[in-house]
Amino acid sequence: MDVDVTATPAARAQALRAQLNEHNHRYYVLDDPSISDAEYDALLRELSALEHAHPELLTPDSPTQRVGAPPAHEFAPITHRAPMLSLNNCFNAGELADFDRRVRETLGIAIVDYVAEPKLDGLGVSLTYENGLFIQGATRGDGQTGEDISANLRTIGSIPLRLRGSDIPEWVEVRGEVFLPHAGFAQMNADARARGDKLYVNPRNAAAGSLRQLDSRQTARRPLQFYAYALGAVQGWREPARHQDLLAALRAWGFAVSDLIQPVQGAAGCMAFYEAMNARRPTLPFDIDGVVYKVDDLAAREELGSVSRAPRWAIAHKFAAEEAQTVLENVEFQVGRTGAVTPVARLAPVFVGGATVSNATLHNMDEIARKDVRIGDTVIVRRAGDVIPEVKEVVLELRPDSARAVALPSQCPVCGGHIEREVGEVVARCSNGLSCQAQLHGALLHFVSRRALDIEGLGEKLLVQLIETGHVKSLADIFGLQLKPLAELERMGEKSAQNVLDAIEKSKTTTLARFLYALGIRDVGEATARDLAAHFGSLEALIDTARLDAPTIHAEKDKDCCPRLRQVPDVGPIVASKICHFFGEPQNLAAIQALQNAGVQWPQVEKSASPQGIFTGKTVVITGTLPGVSRDQASELIQTHGGKVSGSVSKKTDYVLAGEAAGSKLAKAEQLGVPVLDWAQVLAMVKESQRTP
Ligand code: IVH
C-alpha cells in the first residue's frame, strides 16, 4: 500500500490506524492476512512513534491500545443493561424433543426454524459499543453485574475497537465467548513449563486466568479468541427479524462469528447437527462442550420469554461425558451446608474430560450399594464439563481379594454428632444442625452471599477466621460483631473492618424473598423464595401455614400432602415437606427470632393475590406487540388490577389482549370465543373502574 509520507501527522496517524485495523480484521477475524507480520509491526511502530510525539493524536480505537495497560488494582463492577442469561441443558434426544415440543406448543406452529451453533467452552463476555466505539467489556458475573475487564478484552485481536460499516447502533451490548484455541493453549503451557511455572489444566481455565489478569500486558501475550453470538441491549438500530440476520450484522461490524453455525429445522435437524459436531469435535481447533439451538425468529423469542435466568427459546445439548478407568483408594465422608453426609471417592489421579481427577462423588449410600463399590476396586470415572466427576461403575473382573465394603460412619466426621438417615430418605445427615461447624460454615457462606443478604466484604476467608476465633457461632452473631476484634483479625485493619460493619448494617434491611432464600431451606432456591414471599406476604403467615400443613407430610398420597403450601406456584409435595420440616425445628425458629431481634427486617410484601380491581378473578393472555408498552409492563398493570396473566389460551381464559402481529393465540381466542381486547380498551377499562367508586 502506497502512503503519502509528506501528509500532516494527523492525516498520517489516521491512515495508519485505518490500515492497521484493516490488517487486524483480515488476520484475526477473516484468517486471511495480506501482509507479513514484520510489515504489520513496522506500521504499528510508526503509529506508536507518531502518537508518542503527538499525544493529542491518540484515539481510543488506535491499534496501539491493544498491547495492554499498566496493572489495575481490581475490577470495577459493571451492570449489564440486559441481563446475561444462561442456558438450560439437555443430554439426549428425548430431552431435546421435549424442548422442541414446548416451543411448538407455545408458538402454535408445526415445525420450528432453529439456528444451531457450537457451544464454545470459554467465558461469556459482554462488549459495549457507543456510536461504534468500544467503550467497555465485562464478564458475565452473576448475570446482572459483571466485572470490568475492558483492558484485557482490548488486547484480543478479534475484538473490534471500532465497529465497521455505517449500519451500526448508537449503543449496543455484543455478547460472545472468549476462548483459547488448542494451539494457543499448548503454547501457553510450553511457556509455563520453560519458566518452571504451574501448568494449566485445560484451555477454559487458562482463558479464565488470562481474562482475570490485573496486568493486561500479560493478557496481551495470550492468544485469546472471541466469537460473537448474540446481542444484549441495543439502542438506535432496527433489529432484524431473524437470528441469522443478526449474525450477519455481527460479521459486517467486524466480529468473528463461528462458521460452523447452521440454520436447521425441527428436532430432527437439531439432532443431525449434534451428530455432525460430535463427529468433528476431535479435529476442531478449539474445545466445544456441546451445541446450542436457538429459535431463529426473534419475535417468537419474545413470546417464549424466559424463566429463572434461562431463555425458553434456546437450549444447550451437551456432549456425553468422557470416561476413564482408575483405582478407588479410599472413601471419605463430607458434610455439606444442609448436614448431608456425602461419600467422596479418593482416586488414583487420572486425566479425564480435560482435567486431572483425584476426587469423585459417590452420591449416597444407596448408590454405593447399587453399584457395589468397594475400596480397592478399579472403577470407571466420568466427567462432563464443569459437572463434578462421578464414579460410574466398578470393573468387577479387576476386583482384588483385599477389596473392602464402604460403611456409613455413625458419627459426623466434623462435629462428632449423630448421623441419621430418615426412613425413605437416601441422604444421611448430621443431626447437629447449626451447631455443627460444617453446617454453620456452609450456612453462613450462603447467608451472606450475593443473592442472599449480600454482605459485601464478608468473604469465606474472613468467615472462617470469625468461626475459628469463636466470634461467630450462629447466623445472628454476625450482627453483633464489634469493630475492635474485627480489626484485629488477619489482613483486616480498622478501615476494612469498618467497611464490613457498614455492609452488615446495610444488609439488615432486606426483602422477605431474600431472607427466605438466605435461610438455606432445602430445595428453596431464589425463584421459590420469591414465590413464597409473594404468596404469603409475611413470614408469620408462611410459618403458620407450615404448621398447619406439618401433620400431612407423611400422607400416603401426594395430593393429601401439604395442601396449603402447595397453593404456591411450583411448590410440590417434596419442597412443601422440606419447608414444613424447616419451620418445625425449634432451633430454626429461634435462629430466625434472633435475626429479627438483631434488627434484620424487610418492608411489607404486597401479597400477589391481594390487589383488587377490574381484572380480579380474570385470566388474561397477552399476545403480539403492544403500542408503546412492553409485555412486562402490560402484565404488571393487569396484575395490579387483580388479574392473572397466563401464557396460553384455553377455555378458562377470560380475555386475550392482542397487539400488532398477534398470531396463533389470537386465532385460538377467536376459535374459542374468548373476548379479544386491544391495549386502548384495557386502559379504558382500568380508567373507568377507578372512576366508579
Ligand atoms: S447463547 C440467552 N450461544 O454457554 C443465551 N452461549 O451455558 C445466551 N456459550 O453463558 C448464551 N457457546 O457463555 C450462547 N453459541 C453459544 C454459546 C454460548 C457457548 C456459553 C455462554 C453461556 C453458557 C451457557
Side-chain angles (χ1 to χ4, degrees):
M1 220 178 283
D2 278 340
V3 283
D4 178 7
V5 280
T6 62
T8 62
R12 178 66 186 145
Q14 199 187 353
L16 281 167
R17 273 199 303 271
Q19 276 182 58
L20 283 159
N21 278 333
E22 182 63 30
H23 289 306
N24 206 60
H25 182 246
R26 292 192 71 113
Y27 184 89
Y28 287 106
V29 177
L30 306 179
D31 199 12
D32 179 25
S34 60
I35 59 172
S36 69
D37 288 3
E39 285 168 297
Y40 182 90
D41 287 344
L43 292 174
L44 188 63
R45 270 198 306 276
E46 186 188 345
L47 178 60
S48 184
L50 256 180
E51 288 172 347
H52 263 290
H54 306 275
E56 73 283 1
L57 296 181
L58 185 61
T59 61
D61 63 338
S62 171
T64 56
Q65 299 307 293
R66 291 190 184 274
V67 293
H73 297 294
E74 58 175 5
F75 301 115
I78 287 185
T79 303
H80 305 300
R81 269 206 211 172
M84 287 183 80
L85 302 178
S86 57
L87 293 169
N88 287 325
N89 294 325
C90 68
F91 294 92
N92 53 48
E95 290 171 3
L96 166 60
D98 289 343
F99 163 76
D100 178 57
R101 182 167 28 74
R102 285 194 297 272
V103 172
R104 277 187 285 114
E105 284 175 1
T106 309
L107 299 178
I109 55 177
I111 186 154
V112 185
D113 287 331
Y114 293 104
V115 172
E117 306 185 355
K119 186 167 188 300
L120 306 158
D121 198 7
L123 295 113
V125 299
S126 183
L127 312 173
T128 304
Y129 291 84
E130 203 172 85
N131 295 317
L133 185 67
F134 173 73
I135 55 164
Q136 65 180 24
T139 59
R140 178 173 183 282
D142 63 2
Q144 305 287 338
T145 307
E147 289 181 316
D148 183 345
I149 51 163
S150 310
N152 291 339
L153 291 169
R154 246 176 228 292
T155 68
I156 301 177
S158 49
I159 292 183
L161 297 180
R162 179 175 289 282
L163 301 183
R164 301 164 68 89
S166 52
D167 182 23
I168 56 173
E170 282 164 25
W171 198 96
V172 66
E173 288 169 332
V174 172
R175 305 278 163 81
E177 202 84 353
V178 171
F179 60 97
L180 199 58
H182 292 150
F185 174 65
Q187 184 60 51
M188 251 177 87
N189 262 351
D191 293 349
R193 195 175 294 118
R195 285 193 310 269
D197 286 353
K198 239 179 102 186
L199 301 189
Y200 296 92
V201 281
N202 58 38
R204 186 177 187 283
N205 286 6
S210 307
L211 279 188
R212 291 200 52 86
Q213 280 288 338
L214 286 168
D215 184 349
S216 54
R217 291 169 301 196
Q218 296 296 329
T219 312
R221 302 213 181 97
R222 313 277 169 89
L224 294 166
Q225 169 70 299
F226 174 78
Y227 275 173
Y229 50 62
L231 293 191
V234 53
Q235 203 178 300
W237 188 64
R238 245 186 99 86
E239 268 193 274
R242 303 198 150 259
H243 183 60
Q244 295 185 54
D245 307 327
L246 199 73
L247 295 177
L250 285 166
R251 278 200 180 97
W253 294 344
F255 290 98
V257 173
S258 169
D259 52 16
L260 300 169
I261 297 177
Q262 272 178 25
V264 297
Q265 279 202 315
C270 292
M271 215 45 222
F273 181 83
Y274 174 85
E275 298 296 353
M277 280 301 124
N278 203 13
R280 284 188 67 172
R281 187 183 181 194
T283 57
L284 290 177
F286 46 78
D287 278 352
I288 61 177
D289 58 345
V291 298
V292 184
Y293 313 122
K294 304 176 178 175
V295 171
D296 194 17
D297 182 339
L298 301 185
R301 288 188 184 181
E302 269 270 306
E303 199 158 334
L304 286 156
S306 50
V307 252
S308 250
R309 293 195 296 276
R312 275 192 283 241
W313 46 260
I315 198 159
H317 189 168
K318 295 294 229 14
F319 291 133
E322 280 185 43
E323 300 185 349
Q325 192 169 306
T326 185
V327 172
L328 176 64
E329 294 180 333
N330 198 6
V331 173
E332 286 170 18
F333 289 84
Q334 277 179 354
V335 189
R337 171 167 76 76
T338 60
V341 178
T342 318
V344 180
R346 304 291 181 212
L347 305 163
V350 59
F351 194 78
V352 52
T356 302
V357 169
S358 44
N359 302 308
T361 178
L362 282 160
H363 299 291
N364 54 59
M365 293 309 287
D366 281 3
E367 281 291 295
I368 292 183
R370 195 177 63 74
K371 292 175 183 161
D372 187 20
V373 177
R374 301 191 196 170
I375 296 163
D377 269 339
T378 293
V379 293
I380 309 277
V381 200
R382 55 189 234 159
R383 177 172 187 277
D386 284 342
V387 184
I388 303 168
E390 65 164 358
V391 171
K392 184 190 160 206
E393 62 191 18
V394 172
V395 186
L396 279 177
E397 308 86 80
L398 298 179
R399 171 168 290 169
D401 291 340
S402 59
R404 55 197 170 86
V406 182
L408 178 70
S410 57
Q411 287 185 321
C412 171
V414 175
C415 72
H418 252 93
I419 290 185
E420 285 172 355
R421 203 173 148 186
E422 275 181 47
V423 195
E425 277 250 353
V426 277
V427 178
R429 285 175 204 283
C430 162
S431 58
N432 244 352
L434 293 180
S435 52
C436 168
Q437 292 286 304
Q439 294 175 70
L440 177 61
H441 177 196
L444 278 169
L445 261 185
H446 175 74
F447 187 75
V448 305
S449 66
R450 181 125 63 160
R451 299 205 177 97
L453 280 219
D454 189 19
I455 307 185
E456 219 175 301
L458 198 48
E460 177 154 15
K461 291 215 176 81
L462 185 54
L463 271 179
V464 168
Q465 282 193 67
L466 288 168
I467 296 172
E468 283 173 355
T469 52
H471 286 101
V472 170
K473 297 197 189 75
S474 71
L475 299 185
D477 282 352
I478 292 178
F479 299 99
L481 287 172
Q482 301 292 323
L483 184 65
K484 199 160 167 286
L486 197 57
E488 281 165 3
L489 294 175
E490 253 172 65
R491 275 174 304 164
M492 275 306 278
E494 195 126 325
K495 187 150 174 284
S496 321
Q498 190 55 52
N499 288 343
V500 171
L501 287 184
D502 291 347
I504 291 174
E505 190 57 34
K506 202 172 112 201
S507 76
K508 282 185 184 171
T509 304
T510 181
T511 63
L512 176 55
R514 272 180 182 268
F515 184 75
L516 288 175
Y517 173 67
L519 290 177
I521 306 169
R522 272 191 279 148
D523 283 358
V524 175
E526 275 181 289
T528 308
R530 265 198 303 271
D531 289 345
L532 288 170
H535 186 89
F536 290 103
S538 76
L539 183 61
E540 294 70 29
L542 169 59
I543 295 176
D544 288 345
T545 309
R547 280 221 184 92
L548 288 173
D549 270 351
T552 68
I553 54 182
H554 292 298
E556 287 268 315
K557 294 194 191 112
D558 274 357
K559 70 173 177 39
D560 299 327
C561 168
C562 304
R564 298 166 194 86
L565 280 172
R566 282 173 42 221
Q567 303 280 315
V568 181
D570 294 334
V571 171
I574 296 177
V575 178
S577 310
K578 295 197 171 152
I579 296 170
C580 286
H581 267 303
F582 184 89
F583 291 112
E585 286 289 340
Q587 307 99 290
N588 291 338
L589 296 178
I592 291 172
Q593 191 58 55
L595 288 168
Q596 290 184 297
N597 292 348
V600 178
Q601 50 161 339
W602 48 88
Q604 192 65 36
V605 186
E606 284 274 315
K607 270 182 34 173
S608 61
S610 65
Q612 294 289 317
I614 181 78
F615 291 111
T616 298
K618 305 285 184 211
T619 301
V620 184
V621 172
I622 308 177
T623 178
T625 311
L626 302 174
V629 282
S630 72
R631 243 183 255 191
D632 280 347
Q633 290 167 323
S635 304
E636 205 170 308
L637 182 87
I638 290 165
Q639 283 161 354
T640 46
H641 291 87
K644 206 178 128 202
V645 176
S646 157
S648 55
V649 180
S650 74
K651 275 187 289 191
K652 290 194 192 135
T653 310
D654 294 288
Y655 299 109
V656 166
L657 164 55
E660 216 179 300
S664 59
K665 291 185 187 177
L666 179 57
K668 183 133 186 225
E670 282 163 355
Q671 185 196 334
L672 293 173
V674 175
V676 177
L677 303 174
D678 64 21
W679 180 237
Q681 285 171 302
V682 167
L683 289 177
M685 283 167 75
V686 167
K687 220 165 164 188
E688 182 65 19
S689 72
Q690 285 169 329
R691 213 140 45 96
T692 45

